[in-house]
Amino acid sequence: MVNRSFQLALVLMITLLSASAALAAAETVFFPSADGKTEIVGYLFRPQTPGPHPAIVLLHGRGGLYSTNVNKGCTLVSCGTVSACNAGGLSKRHAMWAQYWAARGYIALLPDSFGPRGKARGFGRFTHDDPDRDDVNEKTVRPLDAEGALTWLRGQRDVVAGRIFLQGWSNGGSTALNVLQRQGTKQGFRGALAFYPGCGPKALLAQTLTTSAPITMLLGADDEEVSPQRCQEFAQRSIAAGSRIDVTLYPGATHGFDDPGRKRQSVPGNAAATADVLKRAIAIVDALKD
């Protein structure tokens, strides 16, 4: 018998991917990182309704933005460089989520932190200590790319400057938490969704987060790459320090539970988690309108 959660998740994903045909193709844009030296390439998905719109910046994980079908030979992605890693080569998960937000009235921006630095193919599992990752790390490098995306979006006439959000997966989820640590109580990103981030000292700027921006952490109880317990303890300390963090722990869900591929979604916990988060994500972000 086909798992009911899998059926529901599959229906939701098929609906999203079918609706994507009605959306404009991703627009490739370039903007400066806040590091002052790197030009970031990004993929912009716009709603089909008139603006201005709120926006969300989507931060990829250690595997990068692109599908494993095209990324093996990818290194540099930059203006004027021909690469198989481009708007048409985005992974299904990244394309699905960008289309999800655009279909609901949000401008979605997917910045590529790796391609402009010659690492478009991304990194494999359990490579966190690889020295080749130092110049794209989630503590001191990638937050500057997210801040550059924020500045660029604030300058777009069809963006509501006070309603720009963050969503990140894994390494990108840790990056999102570090961005809000740097932001503190300043006005910036309105809030964040952090999917299965690394929460240890190698991934985060501090083991207690202090920020005025609300955060939702979405964790898999059976995560095989990062520790959900460590993230829960991090959230508890941060809440005690005054931060607003809501944690959802999905039973039976693994790392990357929202990957729409059939192999990942064949795990009942992943299918249930995906179905739930696809229903809840828009409500979480919409609740932060004011």
Side-chain angles (χ1 to χ4, degrees):
M1 178 179 284
V2 179
N3 180 273
R4 182 169 178 78
S5 295
F6 173 71
Q7 289 180 318
L8 179 56
L10 188 61
V11 168
L12 286 167
M13 288 186 288
I14 289 173
T15 300
L16 281 171
L17 294 173
S18 298
S20 71
L23 298 175
E27 177 185 350
T28 302
V29 299
F30 298 90
F31 57 87
S33 169
D35 70 5
K37 60 184 180 181
T38 308
E39 183 178 57
I40 300 299
V41 59
Y43 305 100
L44 195 71
F45 290 72
R46 298 181 189 272
Q48 300 246 302
T49 54
H53 302 283
I56 187 163
V57 176
L58 309 176
L59 303 176
H60 63 75
R62 50 94 183 142
L65 270 179
Y66 308 103
S67 168
T68 55
N69 293 326
V70 303
N71 72 352
K72 291 182 181 179
C74 294
T75 53
L76 182 66
V77 180
S78 64
C79 185
T81 300
V82 177
S83 174
C85 288
N86 53 41
L90 294 172
S91 76
K92 288 182 179 179
R93 174 170 46 189
H94 293 115
M96 179 188 76
W97 274 106
Q99 291 157 356
Y100 172 97
W101 291 112
R104 289 158 178 78
Y106 285 73
I107 290 175
L109 175 60
L110 289 156
D112 179 5
S113 285
F114 292 174
R117 297 180 173 98
K119 306 171 194 289
R121 62 175 158 268
F123 299 89
R125 295 175 66 184
F126 310 118
T127 59
H128 197 273
D129 293 328
D130 185 341
D132 197 35
R133 291 178 60 166
D134 289 348
D135 62 352
V136 290
N137 77 79
E138 66 271 41
K139 293 174 73 173
T140 63
V141 179
R142 297 196 63 198
L144 301 178
D145 299 345
E147 290 166 8
L150 175 66
T151 298
W152 185 82
L153 283 168
R154 281 175 162 174
Q156 305 304 301
R157 289 189 296 178
D158 58 345
V159 172
V160 180
R163 291 197 62 213
I164 302 175
F165 301 85
L166 268 177
Q167 178 176 340
W169 298 269
S170 191
N171 183 276
S174 302
T175 301
L177 297 176
N178 289 329
V179 169
L180 296 186
Q181 183 73 274
R182 287 168 54 88
Q183 181 174 301
T185 59
K186 296 181 294 185
Q187 290 189 342
F189 286 103
R190 183 67 184 83
L193 301 172
F195 284 64
Y196 35 86
C199 294
K202 291 184 178 180
L204 297 182
L205 289 169
Q207 285 297 287
T208 299
L209 177 60
T210 304
T211 181
S212 58
I215 298 163
T216 297
M217 294 177 65
L218 302 146
L219 311 174
D222 290 355
D223 196 310
E224 68 281 22
E225 291 194 37
V226 302
S227 168
Q229 180 179 351
R230 179 170 275 177
C231 285
Q232 289 174 292
E233 292 169 353
F234 165 80
Q236 290 167 0
R237 289 192 300 272
S238 302
I239 292 168
S243 295
R244 295 167 56 192
I245 303 182
D246 179 68
V247 179
T248 298
L249 181 69
Y250 290 111
T254 68
H255 199 76
F257 62 73
D258 58 319
D259 183 329
R262 180 171 288 274
K263 181 178 179 181
R264 187 69 68 174
Q265 291 305 309
S266 67
V267 176
N270 291 343
T274 300
D276 182 72
V277 78
L278 286 173
K279 289 188 295 183
R280 290 181 57 214
I282 184 64
I284 292 168
V285 173
D286 271 352
L288 302 175
K289 285 181 179 179
D290 300 323

